[in-house]
Amino acid sequence: MQAATTRALQESEESLNAIFDAGPDAMLISNNEGIIVLASRQVEPILGYKPKELLGQSIELLVPDAYRQEHAEHRNQYIASPTTRLMGQRREITARHKDGNECTVEIGLSQISSAIGVFVASSIRDIRDRKSAEDAVRAHAEKLRYLYELSPLGIVLTDMEGRYLEFNQAFEKICGYSAGELRALDYWQLTPRKYEDAEKKILDDLACTGHYGPYEKEYVRKDGTVVPLRLNGAQVAASNGEKFIWSIVEDISSRKQSEDKIRELAFFDHLTGLPNRALLHDLLRRAISSSQRSEMFGALLLIDLDNFKTINDTRGHTVGDQVLTKVAELLKKSVRNDDIVARLGGDEFVVVLVHLDSEINDAAGSVKEIAEKILDVLDHRIQLGNSSFQCTASIGASLFRGAETTQEDLIKQADLAMYRAKAMGRNTISFFDPTMEAAVLARATLEQELRIALDENQFTLYYQPQISKTKEVIGVEALIRWLHPNRGLVAPDGFIEVAEETGLILSMGHWVLHTACLQLSRWAKMPEFEDLTLAVNVSAHQFGQADFATQVQAILLTTGANPYRLKLELTESVLMVNAKEIAAKMSSLKSLGVGFSLDDFGTGYSSLSYLKLLPIDQLKIDRSFVRDVLLDPNDAAIARTIIALAHSLQLSVIAEGVETQDQQKFLDTAECDSYQGYLFSKPLPIDEFEKFHSDA
Ligand code: C2E
Ligand code: CA
Ligand code: CA
C-alpha cells in the first residue's frame, strides 16, 4: 500500500513535472507545512535553484529574511481560508534568489486538496524584464517631467483653436499670466495683429509637415510689454483623431537686446547716437533711389565745424564731446523727420535732405535756406553749463536725383564743396556745382538788393500808351522798372518772381498803386490828360491780402485820384482761388468806380463761368496770340473768339503786344476795341510819355 501510494505519487509527480516544465512560469507545490514537494524547471532561471535543491525545503527559503517570519503565518491563514489568485492579478512580491539577492516576481496561488492532504500550488513569473521596462518608462516619464518643470523654455500644449491646455511654469513666466488666467485666454489674445499672416503660414506648415518653426514672433504680456519669442512646435493627434500642438517657446529678449546692441555699435555713433558712416551709406542709397522714384531732388550737406579743434585743445575732450553731442541735437532739430543726420567722425556731420523739389533751382534754394538756418543755429552760441561756445561751420552741398551719382561720389562732391566753403572764409555754404552756386548766390543777392531798393526808392514807373480804334491815346499801363545803382534799368521779368516768392511784392505793389494814383491825381489837373485811364498790374499775392480793397480805398483817398480812371489788371490765376472772397473784393472796389481788366487772357484756366459772375470790364488778349495772329490760324481763331466772347458779355477788348500794322489791321477787322504795343510806343518814362501824348 505504502509502495503503491508512493509509486502513484511518483507517477503523478512525473506527469505533473512534465506539465509544469512546459509552462513559461516556475511552479512550486508545497504541502500544508510549507515544504516544497514539487518544483518545475523554470525555478532555476528565476530563483537560481535547481528543482532538486528545493525539494524537501521549506518554502520560506525563498522568502527574503525580512518577511520570513510573517510568511509562515500568512501561509497558515491561506491554508485555512484559501482564495485562488490568478496570475496577472498583479500581485508582486519579493523573492529571495539563491545568490541572496532579492528579485521581484509575480505570483499566483491555488490550493490543491487531495486525498493525501492540502497542497498549495504557486506559479511564479519572472517579471524582471517587464519590471525594468516599467521602470524605464517611469524613469523616462520622470525625466520628461523634470525637463518640463525645470525647463527655462516655455512648453505649451494648445488645441487647434489656440486655447492653452497644458503649460509649464516657464511659459507662465514668459507670458506674465498666472496658470488660471492662461487657461481662460487663447493664443490670439497674446499675439499682436501684425502676425496674422505669419500665423496662417504656421498652420499651413503644420498641416503639411506636422511641425513648424523656428518661428520668431512677439507676445503681449499681461503688463502690456512685448516679449520677443522663438517658437518651434509639432502637431500631435489624440486617439480620437483630435489634433493638438505642442510648442517650445523661447524668450529671446536678451538675444534681441544683444543684437540691437551689436547693431547700435556697428551702425551708430557712440557719442551722439547718430547713424555712423556705415549706416549713412545705406540710408543714402535709399534716399537716392527714392529721389529717382519721386523725381524730387535731394541734397547731401557735409558740415564741418570751423573751430572745433580749438575747443578740444583748450577745453579738453570732455567739453569737446559735449559740444559734439549738442551739435548733433541742434542738427536734428533743424531738419525734418524724414531727413537724415549722421556723423562721419571727428567734427564732420552729414545731413541728407530728401524730397526737396523737382526744379533744380528751387531745390538749391531750399538747400541754401536750410544750410543757413543750420549755420545760424550753430552760430548762436552753444550753451554748456556756464560756458557758451560759438560753433561756426562750413557746409558743402551736393544735389542728387536718381542714381547717376553713387553715395561715395556724393560725399566726395560735398567734401570738395565744403573745402571751398572753408576757403571762402568759413561759416558759409558752398555748392559742388558752381553754376548752381552762382544761381543761388544771385538770387540771394537779388533779394537783398530788392529790400534795399524798396527802402531807397529805386523803382520807377514807365507808361505804355493804350490806343483806341481811332488811334487816340485813351489810357496807359503802368509798368515797373528798377533803376539799379550798378546794373541800370532792370525790367520786371528780372525781379518780379523773386519779389513774389519773398513777399516783397506786397510793399512793391503798394508803392506802384500809390505812385500810379499820384500820377492820376496830377493828370486830373491837366486837361490833355484828365480822361486817361491808368492800368496797374496787381499780383495774385497782392490781391489775395484780406485788406486789399481797403488798401486801395486808402490810396485813392490820400492821393485824391479818381477811381473811375483806375483800372486793375488781374490775371486769371487770381480768380481761381476762393471765388466768393474775390467776388466780394472786386465788388467793393467796383462800387468805388475802379475798373478791372483781365490780363494775359487766354493763357490761364479759361474757365469762363467767372466772367459772368465778376465785375470785369475788359479782356486783354495775351501778347502770345497777337504775335502769331497772322502766322498761326489757331492763334487767329483764339483772338477772334476772345473778341466775340468779350462783346457777347458786354466787355471791351484790348490787344497787347501789337507790333505791326498788319496785326493791328487783322484785329481791327475782328472788331478789337483798343491796342497796346511797340507799334504805337514802348513803355516810356513819365516825361517822355507826356511828350508823346502832347505831340500826338
Ligand atoms: P504784362 O502785364 O503782360 O505787361 C506787358 C509786357 O509786355 C510789358 O513788359 C511790356 O513792356 C511788354 N510789351 C508791351 N508791348 C509790347 C510789344 O509790342 N512787344 C513785346 N514783345 N512786348 C511788349 P514788362 O514791362 O517787361 O513787364 C513784364 C511783366 O511784368 C508784365 O507783363 C507784368 O506781368 C509784370 N509787371 C510789370 N509791372 C508790374 C507791376 O507794377 N506790378 C506787378 N505785379 N507786375 C508787373
Ligand atoms: Ca499787364
Ligand atoms: Ca499781359
Side-chain angles (χ1 to χ4, degrees), residues 8 147 199 298 468 478:
L147 288 176
E199 298 289 345
S468 72

Side-chain angles (χ1 to χ4, degrees), residues 265-284:
L265 290 174
F267 294 118
F268 291 90
D269 172 47
H270 299 224
L271 181 63
T272 60
L274 294 177
N276 64 11
R277 189 184 282 267
L279 183 53
L280 172 67
H281 272 265
D282 192 40
L283 296 172
L284 190 53

Side-chain angles (χ1 to χ4, degrees), residues 461 464 477-481 491-493 496 500 505 509 512 536-539 542 569 599-600 620 622-623 656-659 676-679 681-683:
L461 288 185
Q464 187 175 33
E477 178 180 4
L479 293 156
I480 193 169
R481 297 290 180 267
D493 289 346
I496 289 286
E500 292 264 9
I505 193 73
V512 170
V536 171
N537 294 285
V538 175
S539 83
Q542 193 184 355
E569 289 197 7
D599 207 352
D600 304 341
K620 201 168 188 181
D622 189 63
R623 208 159 66 223
E656 68 176 346
V658 181
E659 293 184 358
Q676 184 183 338
Y678 293 174
L679 174 63
S681 170
K682 293 202 169 188

